[in-house]
PDB file of all heavy atoms in Angstrom:
ATOM      1  N   GLY A   1      98.733  87.747  81.772  1.00 97.00           N
ATOM      2  CA  GLY A   1      99.056  86.440  81.409  1.00 97.00           C
ATOM      3  C   GLY A   1      97.894  85.794  80.640  1.00 97.00           C
ATOM      4  O   GLY A   1      96.802  86.255  80.576  1.00 97.00           O
ATOM      5  N   GLY A   2      98.252  84.646  79.984  1.00 97.00           N
ATOM      6  CA  GLY A   2      97.227  83.985  79.168  1.00 97.00           C
ATOM      7  C   GLY A   2      97.756  82.956  78.277  1.00 97.00           C
ATOM      8  O   GLY A   2      98.876  82.605  78.331  1.00 97.00           O
ATOM      9  N   LEU A   3      96.990  82.571  77.359  1.00 98.00           N
ATOM     10  CA  LEU A   3      97.306  81.598  76.248  1.00 98.00           C
ATOM     11  C   LEU A   3      97.424  82.206  75.006  1.00 98.00           C
ATOM     12  O   LEU A   3      96.572  82.905  74.448  1.00 98.00           O
ATOM     13  CB  LEU A   3      96.289  80.485  76.268  1.00 98.00           C
ATOM     14  CG  LEU A   3      96.406  79.367  75.219  1.00 98.00           C
ATOM     15  CD1 LEU A   3      97.683  78.585  75.432  1.00 98.00           C
ATOM     16  CD2 LEU A   3      95.174  78.492  75.133  1.00 98.00           C
ATOM     17  N   VAL A   4      98.601  81.972  74.331  1.00 98.00           N
ATOM     18  CA  VAL A   4      98.820  82.508  72.966  1.00 98.00           C
ATOM     19  C   VAL A   4      99.480  81.405  72.070  1.00 98.00           C
ATOM     20  O   VAL A   4     100.111  80.434  72.700  1.00 98.00           O
ATOM     21  CB  VAL A   4      99.729  83.744  72.950  1.00 98.00           C
ATOM     22  CG1 VAL A   4      98.957  84.935  73.778  1.00 98.00           C
ATOM     23  CG2 VAL A   4     101.102  83.543  73.599  1.00 98.00           C
ATOM     24  N   GLN A   5      99.455  81.627  70.832  1.00 98.00           N
ATOM     25  CA  GLN A   5     100.097  80.690  69.913  1.00 98.00           C
ATOM     26  C   GLN A   5     101.551  81.133  69.683  1.00 98.00           C
ATOM     27  O   GLN A   5     101.899  82.330  69.855  1.00 98.00           O
ATOM     28  CB  GLN A   5      99.413  80.677  68.519  1.00 98.00           C
ATOM     29  CG  GLN A   5      98.005  79.998  68.615  1.00 98.00           C
ATOM     30  CD  GLN A   5      97.322  79.750  67.277  1.00 98.00           C
ATOM     31  OE1 GLN A   5      97.645  80.563  66.336  1.00 98.00           O
ATOM     32  NE2 GLN A   5      96.580  78.740  67.093  1.00 98.00           N
ATOM     33  N   ALA A   6     102.436  80.234  69.302  1.00 98.00           N
ATOM     34  CA  ALA A   6     103.740  80.554  68.937  1.00 98.00           C
ATOM     35  C   ALA A   6     103.827  81.657  67.936  1.00 98.00           C
ATOM     36  O   ALA A   6     103.035  81.624  66.969  1.00 98.00           O
ATOM     37  CB  ALA A   6     104.464  79.307  68.451  1.00 98.00           C
ATOM     38  N   GLY A   7     104.754  82.543  68.186  1.00 98.00           N
ATOM     39  CA  GLY A   7     104.910  83.732  67.282  1.00 98.00           C
ATOM     40  C   GLY A   7     104.079  84.947  67.681  1.00 98.00           C
ATOM     41  O   GLY A   7     104.260  86.011  67.192  1.00 98.00           O
ATOM     42  N   GLY A   8     103.166  84.724  68.655  1.00 98.00           N
ATOM     43  CA  GLY A   8     102.356  85.871  69.143  1.00 98.00           C
ATOM     44  C   GLY A   8     103.028  86.600  70.136  1.00 98.00           C
ATOM     45  O   GLY A   8     104.136  86.453  70.500  1.00 98.00           O
ATOM     46  N   SER A   9     102.201  87.541  70.746  1.00 98.00           N
ATOM     47  CA  SER A   9     102.693  88.557  71.664  1.00 98.00           C
ATOM     48  C   SER A   9     101.836  88.590  72.860  1.00 98.00           C
ATOM     49  O   SER A   9     100.645  88.335  72.866  1.00 98.00           O
ATOM     50  CB  SER A   9     102.746  89.922  71.062  1.00 98.00           C
ATOM     51  OG  SER A   9     103.745  89.933  69.949  1.00 98.00           O
ATOM     52  N   LEU A  10     102.398  88.989  73.946  1.00 98.00           N
ATOM     53  CA  LEU A  10     101.726  89.245  75.216  1.00 98.00           C
ATOM     54  C   LEU A  10     102.353  90.334  76.004  1.00 98.00           C
ATOM     55  O   LEU A  10     103.579  90.487  75.935  1.00 98.00           O
ATOM     56  CB  LEU A  10     101.673  87.949  75.991  1.00 98.00           C
ATOM     57  CG  LEU A  10     100.501  87.572  76.991  1.00 98.00           C
ATOM     58  CD1 LEU A  10      99.165  87.633  76.259  1.00 98.00           C
ATOM     59  CD2 LEU A  10     100.786  86.258  77.631  1.00 98.00           C
ATOM     60  N   ARG A  11     101.621  91.112  76.855  1.00 98.00           N
ATOM     61  CA  ARG A  11     102.163  92.106  77.656  1.00 98.00           C
ATOM     62  C   ARG A  11     101.723  91.924  79.074  1.00 98.00           C
ATOM     63  O   ARG A  11     100.503  91.856  79.334  1.00 98.00           O
ATOM     64  CB  ARG A  11     101.604  93.488  77.079  1.00 98.00           C
ATOM     65  CG  ARG A  11     102.122  94.697  77.835  1.00 98.00           C
ATOM     66  CD  ARG A  11     101.552  96.006  77.330  1.00 98.00           C
ATOM     67  NE  ARG A  11     101.895  97.185  78.093  1.00 98.00           N
ATOM     68  CZ  ARG A  11     102.984  97.988  77.893  1.00 98.00           C
ATOM     69  NH1 ARG A  11     103.919  97.556  77.014  1.00 98.00           N
ATOM     70  NH2 ARG A  11     103.094  98.979  78.701  1.00 98.00           N
ATOM     71  N   LEU A  12     102.682  91.833  79.951  1.00 98.00           N
ATOM     72  CA  LEU A  12     102.447  91.709  81.341  1.00 98.00           C
ATOM     73  C   LEU A  12     102.687  93.046  82.112  1.00 98.00           C
ATOM     74  O   LEU A  12     103.468  93.823  81.643  1.00 98.00           O
ATOM     75  CB  LEU A  12     103.482  90.674  82.016  1.00 98.00           C
ATOM     76  CG  LEU A  12     103.581  89.277  81.339  1.00 98.00           C
ATOM     77  CD1 LEU A  12     104.531  88.389  82.153  1.00 98.00           C
ATOM     78  CD2 LEU A  12     102.105  88.664  81.269  1.00 98.00           C
ATOM     79  N   SER A  13     101.821  93.224  83.091  1.00 97.00           N
ATOM     80  CA  SER A  13     101.942  94.407  83.949  1.00 97.00           C
ATOM     81  C   SER A  13     102.017  94.001  85.395  1.00 97.00           C
ATOM     82  O   SER A  13     101.479  93.030  85.841  1.00 97.00           O
ATOM     83  CB  SER A  13     100.702  95.371  83.697  1.00 97.00           C
ATOM     84  OG  SER A  13     100.666  95.686  82.352  1.00 97.00           O
ATOM     85  N   CYS A  14     102.660  94.793  86.111  1.00 96.00           N
ATOM     86  CA  CYS A  14     102.810  94.557  87.526  1.00 96.00           C
ATOM     87  C   CYS A  14     102.898  95.992  88.280  1.00 96.00           C
ATOM     88  O   CYS A  14     103.754  96.774  87.909  1.00 96.00           O
ATOM     89  CB  CYS A  14     104.079  93.812  87.994  1.00 96.00           C
ATOM     90  SG  CYS A  14     104.400  93.692  89.701  1.00 96.00           S
ATOM     91  N   ALA A  15     101.973  96.234  89.237  1.00 93.00           N
ATOM     92  CA  ALA A  15     101.982  97.405  89.965  1.00 93.00           C
ATOM     93  C   ALA A  15     102.219  97.235  91.454  1.00 93.00           C
ATOM     94  O   ALA A  15     101.667  96.225  92.002  1.00 93.00           O
ATOM     95  CB  ALA A  15     100.607  98.090  89.901  1.00 93.00           C
ATOM     96  N   ALA A  16     103.208  97.880  92.054  1.00 89.00           N
ATOM     97  CA  ALA A  16     103.486  97.903  93.427  1.00 89.00           C
ATOM     98  C   ALA A  16     102.744  98.857  94.237  1.00 89.00           C
ATOM     99  O   ALA A  16     102.731 100.047  93.763  1.00 89.00           O
ATOM    100  CB  ALA A  16     105.013  98.008  93.658  1.00 89.00           C
ATOM    101  N   SER A  17     102.266  98.520  95.353  1.00 88.00           N
ATOM    102  CA  SER A  17     101.562  99.502  96.197  1.00 88.00           C
ATOM    103  C   SER A  17     101.850  99.121  97.589  1.00 88.00           C
ATOM    104  O   SER A  17     102.380  98.085  98.030  1.00 88.00           O
ATOM    105  CB  SER A  17      99.995  99.410  95.942  1.00 88.00           C
ATOM    106  OG  SER A  17      99.514  98.144  96.263  1.00 88.00           O
ATOM    107  N   GLY A  18     101.558 100.167  98.464  1.00 83.00           N
ATOM    108  CA  GLY A  18     101.771 100.047  99.851  1.00 83.00           C
ATOM    109  C   GLY A  18     102.835 101.036 100.377  1.00 83.00           C
ATOM    110  O   GLY A  18     103.172 101.927  99.692  1.00 83.00           O
ATOM    111  N   ASN A  19     103.311 100.749 101.589  1.00 74.00           N
ATOM    112  CA  ASN A  19     104.260 101.652 102.133  1.00 74.00           C
ATOM    113  C   ASN A  19     105.795 101.296 101.698  1.00 74.00           C
ATOM    114  O   ASN A  19     106.449 100.591 102.374  1.00 74.00           O
ATOM    115  CB  ASN A  19     104.169 101.540 103.723  1.00 74.00           C
ATOM    116  CG  ASN A  19     104.925 102.685 104.342  1.00 74.00           C
ATOM    117  OD1 ASN A  19     105.404 103.610 103.725  1.00 74.00           O
ATOM    118  ND2 ASN A  19     105.216 102.473 105.648  1.00 74.00           N
ATOM    119  N   ILE A  20     106.050 101.809 100.513  1.00 72.00           N
ATOM    120  CA  ILE A  20     107.406 101.461  99.996  1.00 72.00           C
ATOM    121  C   ILE A  20     108.192 102.788  99.988  1.00 72.00           C
ATOM    122  O   ILE A  20     107.772 103.827  99.476  1.00 72.00           O
ATOM    123  CB  ILE A  20     107.229 101.017  98.575  1.00 72.00           C
ATOM    124  CG1 ILE A  20     106.436  99.738  98.449  1.00 72.00           C
ATOM    125  CG2 ILE A  20     108.668 100.811  97.935  1.00 72.00           C
ATOM    126  CD1 ILE A  20     106.227  99.278  97.052  1.00 72.00           C
ATOM    127  N   PHE A  21     109.409 102.704 100.579  1.00 72.00           N
ATOM    128  CA  PHE A  21     110.325 103.925 100.777  1.00 72.00           C
ATOM    129  C   PHE A  21     110.898 104.279  99.417  1.00 72.00           C
ATOM    130  O   PHE A  21     110.759 105.355  98.959  1.00 72.00           O
ATOM    131  CB  PHE A  21     111.257 103.744 101.825  1.00 72.00           C
ATOM    132  CG  PHE A  21     112.223 104.825 101.936  1.00 72.00           C
ATOM    133  CD1 PHE A  21     111.877 106.119 102.477  1.00 72.00           C
ATOM    134  CD2 PHE A  21     113.589 104.642 101.481  1.00 72.00           C
ATOM    135  CE1 PHE A  21     112.844 107.103 102.568  1.00 72.00           C
ATOM    136  CE2 PHE A  21     114.470 105.750 101.504  1.00 72.00           C
ATOM    137  CZ  PHE A  21     114.116 106.862 102.091  1.00 72.00           C
ATOM    138  N   SER A  22     111.560 103.243  98.812  1.00 85.00           N
ATOM    139  CA  SER A  22     112.222 103.505  97.545  1.00 85.00           C
ATOM    140  C   SER A  22     112.432 102.228  96.935  1.00 85.00           C
ATOM    141  O   SER A  22     112.930 101.181  97.486  1.00 85.00           O
ATOM    142  CB  SER A  22     113.677 104.203  97.786  1.00 85.00           C
ATOM    143  OG  SER A  22     114.298 104.397  96.577  1.00 85.00           O
ATOM    144  N   ILE A  23     112.102 102.100  95.620  1.00 87.00           N
ATOM    145  CA  ILE A  23     112.270 100.877  94.852  1.00 87.00           C
ATOM    146  C   ILE A  23     113.665 100.896  94.072  1.00 87.00           C
ATOM    147  O   ILE A  23     113.924 101.863  93.338  1.00 87.00           O
ATOM    148  CB  ILE A  23     111.090 100.682  93.869  1.00 87.00           C
ATOM    149  CG1 ILE A  23     109.854 100.392  94.619  1.00 87.00           C
ATOM    150  CG2 ILE A  23     111.478  99.448  92.847  1.00 87.00           C
ATOM    151  CD1 ILE A  23     108.613 100.146  93.707  1.00 87.00           C
ATOM    152  N   ASN A  24     114.442  99.974  94.325  1.00 91.00           N
ATOM    153  CA  ASN A  24     115.722  99.820  93.761  1.00 91.00           C
ATOM    154  C   ASN A  24     115.588  99.338  92.262  1.00 91.00           C
ATOM    155  O   ASN A  24     116.282  99.750  91.385  1.00 91.00           O
ATOM    156  CB  ASN A  24     116.743  98.980  94.506  1.00 91.00           C
ATOM    157  CG  ASN A  24     116.874  99.471  95.948  1.00 91.00           C
ATOM    158  OD1 ASN A  24     117.191 100.668  96.064  1.00 91.00           O
ATOM    159  ND2 ASN A  24     116.906  98.500  96.843  1.00 91.00           N
ATOM    160  N   SER A  25     114.725  98.268  92.107  1.00 93.00           N
ATOM    161  CA  SER A  25     114.566  97.710  90.866  1.00 93.00           C
ATOM    162  C   SER A  25     113.300  96.922  90.851  1.00 93.00           C
ATOM    163  O   SER A  25     112.705  96.548  91.830  1.00 93.00           O
ATOM    164  CB  SER A  25     115.751  96.738  90.507  1.00 93.00           C
ATOM    165  OG  SER A  25     115.751  95.555  91.368  1.00 93.00           O
ATOM    166  N   MET A  26     112.796  96.641  89.565  1.00 93.00           N
ATOM    167  CA  MET A  26     111.641  95.783  89.431  1.00 93.00           C
ATOM    168  C   MET A  26     111.924  94.899  88.250  1.00 93.00           C
ATOM    169  O   MET A  26     112.643  95.211  87.292  1.00 93.00           O
ATOM    170  CB  MET A  26     110.383  96.601  89.198  1.00 93.00           C
ATOM    171  CG  MET A  26     109.919  97.450  90.347  1.00 93.00           C
ATOM    172  SD  MET A  26     108.281  98.264  90.036  1.00 93.00           S
ATOM    173  CE  MET A  26     107.183  96.769  90.255  1.00 93.00           C
ATOM    174  N   GLY A  27     111.339  93.750  88.377  1.00 96.00           N
ATOM    175  CA  GLY A  27     111.680  92.731  87.261  1.00 96.00           C
ATOM    176  C   GLY A  27     110.715  91.576  87.222  1.00 96.00           C
ATOM    177  O   GLY A  27     109.751  91.547  88.007  1.00 96.00           O
ATOM    178  N   TRP A  28     110.940  90.705  86.326  1.00 98.00           N
ATOM    179  CA  TRP A  28     110.234  89.519  86.078  1.00 98.00           C
ATOM    180  C   TRP A  28     111.044  88.295  86.199  1.00 98.00           C
ATOM    181  O   TRP A  28     112.161  88.258  85.561  1.00 98.00           O
ATOM    182  CB  TRP A  28     109.512  89.563  84.758  1.00 98.00           C
ATOM    183  CG  TRP A  28     108.519  90.652  84.570  1.00 98.00           C
ATOM    184  CD1 TRP A  28     108.743  91.906  84.149  1.00 98.00           C
ATOM    185  CD2 TRP A  28     107.150  90.539  85.016  1.00 98.00           C
ATOM    186  NE1 TRP A  28     107.502  92.694  84.224  1.00 98.00           N
ATOM    187  CE2 TRP A  28     106.487  91.933  84.652  1.00 98.00           C
ATOM    188  CE3 TRP A  28     106.350  89.524  85.503  1.00 98.00           C
ATOM    189  CZ2 TRP A  28     105.210  92.145  84.940  1.00 98.00           C
ATOM    190  CZ3 TRP A  28     104.941  89.848  85.704  1.00 98.00           C
ATOM    191  CH2 TRP A  28     104.399  91.049  85.446  1.00 98.00           C
ATOM    192  N   TYR A  29     110.611  87.296  86.793  1.00 98.00           N
ATOM    193  CA  TYR A  29     111.204  85.912  86.914  1.00 98.00           C
ATOM    194  C   TYR A  29     110.140  84.942  86.365  1.00 98.00           C
ATOM    195  O   TYR A  29     108.915  85.252  86.364  1.00 98.00           O
ATOM    196  CB  TYR A  29     111.563  85.577  88.341  1.00 98.00           C
ATOM    197  CG  TYR A  29     112.695  86.347  88.927  1.00 98.00           C
ATOM    198  CD1 TYR A  29     112.566  87.785  89.230  1.00 98.00           C
ATOM    199  CD2 TYR A  29     113.956  85.729  89.161  1.00 98.00           C
ATOM    200  CE1 TYR A  29     113.632  88.426  89.724  1.00 98.00           C
ATOM    201  CE2 TYR A  29     115.004  86.502  89.636  1.00 98.00           C
ATOM    202  CZ  TYR A  29     114.829  87.789  89.943  1.00 98.00           C
ATOM    203  OH  TYR A  29     115.944  88.552  90.464  1.00 98.00           O
ATOM    204  N   ARG A  30     110.579  83.765  85.909  1.00 98.00           N
ATOM    205  CA  ARG A  30     109.626  82.770  85.589  1.00 98.00           C
ATOM    206  C   ARG A  30     110.102  81.417  86.065  1.00 98.00           C
ATOM    207  O   ARG A  30     111.370  81.245  86.337  1.00 98.00           O
ATOM    208  CB  ARG A  30     109.434  82.783  84.063  1.00 98.00           C
ATOM    209  CG  ARG A  30     110.684  82.279  83.311  1.00 98.00           C
ATOM    210  CD  ARG A  30     110.470  82.520  81.697  1.00 98.00           C
ATOM    211  NE  ARG A  30     111.613  82.067  80.975  1.00 98.00           N
ATOM    212  CZ  ARG A  30     111.691  82.235  79.704  1.00 98.00           C
ATOM    213  NH1 ARG A  30     110.684  82.811  79.051  1.00 98.00           N
ATOM    214  NH2 ARG A  30     112.812  81.750  79.014  1.00 98.00           N
ATOM    215  N   GLN A  31     109.105  80.546  86.205  1.00 98.00           N
ATOM    216  CA  GLN A  31     109.427  79.163  86.530  1.00 98.00           C
ATOM    217  C   GLN A  31     108.584  78.222  85.677  1.00 98.00           C
ATOM    218  O   GLN A  31     107.432  78.263  85.729  1.00 98.00           O
ATOM    219  CB  GLN A  31     109.187  78.912  88.020  1.00 98.00           C
ATOM    220  CG  GLN A  31     109.675  77.528  88.479  1.00 98.00           C
ATOM    221  CD  GLN A  31     109.705  77.390  89.944  1.00 98.00           C
ATOM    222  OE1 GLN A  31     109.070  78.214  90.686  1.00 98.00           O
ATOM    223  NE2 GLN A  31     110.406  76.469  90.507  1.00 98.00           N
ATOM    224  N   ALA A  32     109.318  77.467  84.873  1.00 96.00           N
ATOM    225  CA  ALA A  32     108.678  76.503  83.974  1.00 96.00           C
ATOM    226  C   ALA A  32     108.701  75.109  84.758  1.00 96.00           C
ATOM    227  O   ALA A  32     109.445  74.886  85.621  1.00 96.00           O
ATOM    228  CB  ALA A  32     109.426  76.313  82.662  1.00 96.00           C
ATOM    229  N   PRO A  33     107.704  74.205  84.249  1.00 90.00           N
ATOM    230  CA  PRO A  33     107.540  72.932  84.912  1.00 90.00           C
ATOM    231  C   PRO A  33     108.884  72.216  84.935  1.00 90.00           C
ATOM    232  O   PRO A  33     109.565  72.045  83.926  1.00 90.00           O
ATOM    233  CB  PRO A  33     106.551  72.252  84.192  1.00 90.00           C
ATOM    234  CG  PRO A  33     105.631  73.344  83.622  1.00 90.00           C
ATOM    235  CD  PRO A  33     106.652  74.475  83.239  1.00 90.00           C
ATOM    236  N   GLY A  34     109.305  71.721  86.105  1.00 93.00           N
ATOM    237  CA  GLY A  34     110.486  70.923  86.236  1.00 93.00           C
ATOM    238  C   GLY A  34     111.832  71.768  86.253  1.00 93.00           C
ATOM    239  O   GLY A  34     112.984  71.204  86.184  1.00 93.00           O
ATOM    240  N   LYS A  35     111.716  73.102  86.216  1.00 96.00           N
ATOM    241  CA  LYS A  35     112.901  73.960  86.100  1.00 96.00           C
ATOM    242  C   LYS A  35     112.994  74.877  87.298  1.00 96.00           C
ATOM    243  O   LYS A  35     112.037  75.172  88.015  1.00 96.00           O
ATOM    244  CB  LYS A  35     112.982  74.696  84.842  1.00 96.00           C
ATOM    245  CG  LYS A  35     113.161  73.896  83.552  1.00 96.00           C
ATOM    246  CD  LYS A  35     113.265  74.745  82.342  1.00 96.00           C
ATOM    247  CE  LYS A  35     113.539  73.883  81.092  1.00 96.00           C
ATOM    248  NZ  LYS A  35     113.650  74.676  79.894  1.00 96.00           N
ATOM    249  N   GLN A  36     114.210  75.434  87.542  1.00 96.00           N
ATOM    250  CA  GLN A  36     114.394  76.522  88.577  1.00 96.00           C
ATOM    251  C   GLN A  36     113.786  77.837  88.129  1.00 96.00           C
ATOM    252  O   GLN A  36     113.636  78.114  86.923  1.00 96.00           O
ATOM    253  CB  GLN A  36     115.913  76.620  88.840  1.00 96.00           C
ATOM    254  CG  GLN A  36     116.573  75.421  89.385  1.00 96.00           C
ATOM    255  CD  GLN A  36     116.341  75.159  90.832  1.00 96.00           C
ATOM    256  OE1 GLN A  36     115.881  76.116  91.569  1.00 96.00           O
ATOM    257  NE2 GLN A  36     116.629  73.993  91.319  1.00 96.00           N
ATOM    258  N   ARG A  37     113.391  78.602  89.124  1.00 97.00           N
ATOM    259  CA  ARG A  37     113.079  79.964  88.808  1.00 97.00           C
ATOM    260  C   ARG A  37     114.213  80.822  88.345  1.00 97.00           C
ATOM    261  O   ARG A  37     115.328  80.715  88.834  1.00 97.00           O
ATOM    262  CB  ARG A  37     112.446  80.590  90.057  1.00 97.00           C
ATOM    263  CG  ARG A  37     111.844  81.908  89.770  1.00 97.00           C
ATOM    264  CD  ARG A  37     111.186  82.592  91.025  1.00 97.00           C
ATOM    265  NE  ARG A  37     110.114  81.780  91.498  1.00 97.00           N
ATOM    266  CZ  ARG A  37     109.295  82.201  92.399  1.00 97.00           C
ATOM    267  NH1 ARG A  37     109.437  83.344  93.109  1.00 97.00           N
ATOM    268  NH2 ARG A  37     108.305  81.375  92.840  1.00 97.00           N
ATOM    269  N   GLU A  38     114.008  81.538  87.192  1.00 97.00           N
ATOM    270  CA  GLU A  38     115.081  82.300  86.630  1.00 97.00           C
ATOM    271  C   GLU A  38     114.666  83.635  86.359  1.00 97.00           C
ATOM    272  O   GLU A  38     113.480  83.999  86.160  1.00 97.00           O
ATOM    273  CB  GLU A  38     115.443  81.552  85.277  1.00 97.00           C
ATOM    274  CG  GLU A  38     114.428  81.544  84.184  1.00 97.00           C
ATOM    275  CD  GLU A  38     114.857  81.031  82.811  1.00 97.00           C
ATOM    276  OE1 GLU A  38     116.043  80.833  82.655  1.00 97.00           O
ATOM    277  OE2 GLU A  38     113.991  80.858  81.983  1.00 97.00           O
ATOM    278  N   LEU A  39     115.644  84.540  86.343  1.00 98.00           N
ATOM    279  CA  LEU A  39     115.472  85.939  85.921  1.00 98.00           C
ATOM    280  C   LEU A  39     115.230  86.069  84.484  1.00 98.00           C
ATOM    281  O   LEU A  39     115.918  85.480  83.607  1.00 98.00           O
ATOM    282  CB  LEU A  39     116.729  86.801  86.332  1.00 98.00           C
ATOM    283  CG  LEU A  39     116.668  88.178  85.890  1.00 98.00           C
ATOM    284  CD1 LEU A  39     115.624  89.051  86.671  1.00 98.00           C
ATOM    285  CD2 LEU A  39     117.974  88.885  86.031  1.00 98.00           C
ATOM    286  N   VAL A  40     114.156  86.758  84.166  1.00 98.00           N
ATOM    287  CA  VAL A  40     113.706  87.039  82.771  1.00 98.00           C
ATOM    288  C   VAL A  40     114.225  88.424  82.387  1.00 98.00           C
ATOM    289  O   VAL A  40     114.969  88.563  81.387  1.00 98.00           O
ATOM    290  CB  VAL A  40     112.312  86.919  82.562  1.00 98.00           C
ATOM    291  CG1 VAL A  40     111.856  87.229  81.102  1.00 98.00           C
ATOM    292  CG2 VAL A  40     111.758  85.478  82.936  1.00 98.00           C
ATOM    293  N   ALA A  41     113.854  89.469  83.154  1.00 98.00           N
ATOM    294  CA  ALA A  41     114.316  90.813  82.841  1.00 98.00           C
ATOM    295  C   ALA A  41     114.257  91.590  84.016  1.00 98.00           C
ATOM    296  O   ALA A  41     113.477  91.407  84.934  1.00 98.00           O
ATOM    297  CB  ALA A  41     113.503  91.460  81.755  1.00 98.00           C
ATOM    298  N   LEU A  42     115.054  92.627  84.100  1.00 97.00           N
ATOM    299  CA  LEU A  42     115.158  93.541  85.296  1.00 97.00           C
ATOM    300  C   LEU A  42     115.453  94.934  84.860  1.00 97.00           C
ATOM    301  O   LEU A  42     116.211  95.174  83.911  1.00 97.00           O
ATOM    302  CB  LEU A  42     116.257  93.053  86.235  1.00 97.00           C
ATOM    303  CG  LEU A  42     116.495  93.814  87.504  1.00 97.00           C
ATOM    304  CD1 LEU A  42     115.377  93.434  88.537  1.00 97.00           C
ATOM    305  CD2 LEU A  42     117.893  93.409  88.083  1.00 97.00           C
ATOM    306  N   VAL A  43     114.760  95.890  85.501  1.00 95.00           N
ATOM    307  CA  VAL A  43     115.101  97.343  85.265  1.00 95.00           C
ATOM    308  C   VAL A  43     115.415  98.014  86.539  1.00 95.00           C
ATOM    309  O   VAL A  43     114.635  97.830  87.545  1.00 95.00           O
ATOM    310  CB  VAL A  43     113.968  97.979  84.497  1.00 95.00           C
ATOM    311  CG1 VAL A  43     112.654  97.944  85.180  1.00 95.00           C
ATOM    312  CG2 VAL A  43     114.337  99.450  84.140  1.00 95.00           C
ATOM    313  N   THR A  44     116.483  98.689  86.715  1.00 92.00           N
ATOM    314  CA  THR A  44     116.864  99.416  87.884  1.00 92.00           C
ATOM    315  C   THR A  44     116.148 100.828  87.902  1.00 92.00           C
ATOM    316  O   THR A  44     115.541 101.252  86.902  1.00 92.00           O
ATOM    317  CB  THR A  44     118.250  99.607  88.039  1.00 92.00           C
ATOM    318  OG1 THR A  44     118.779 100.527  87.021  1.00 92.00           O
ATOM    319  CG2 THR A  44     119.008  98.255  87.906  1.00 92.00           C
ATOM    320  N   ARG A  45     116.270 101.481  89.033  1.00 85.00           N
ATOM    321  CA  ARG A  45     115.570 102.848  89.163  1.00 85.00           C
ATOM    322  C   ARG A  45     116.234 103.895  88.221  1.00 85.00           C
ATOM    323  O   ARG A  45     115.507 104.778  87.861  1.00 85.00           O
ATOM    324  CB  ARG A  45     115.742 103.277  90.701  1.00 85.00           C
ATOM    325  CG  ARG A  45     117.159 103.508  91.121  1.00 85.00           C
ATOM    326  CD  ARG A  45     117.227 103.880  92.574  1.00 85.00           C
ATOM    327  NE  ARG A  45     118.545 103.948  93.162  1.00 85.00           N
ATOM    328  CZ  ARG A  45     118.796 104.260  94.385  1.00 85.00           C
ATOM    329  NH1 ARG A  45     117.858 104.446  95.221  1.00 85.00           N
ATOM    330  NH2 ARG A  45     120.158 104.323  94.733  1.00 85.00           N
TER     331      ARG A  45
END
C-alpha cells in the first residue's frame, strides 16, 4: 500500500501462514471512508 497519483499503479501482496489445512479462496476487500466494506477481487483454488 501507499500513496500514488491518479493514473498510476500499485501492487499489493498478501501471504498466509500458519496451520492452514486448505485454502478455498483468497481475495481483497476494501473500505473507503463512509462506505461499507466491499469485495474487490477474489481468486479460488
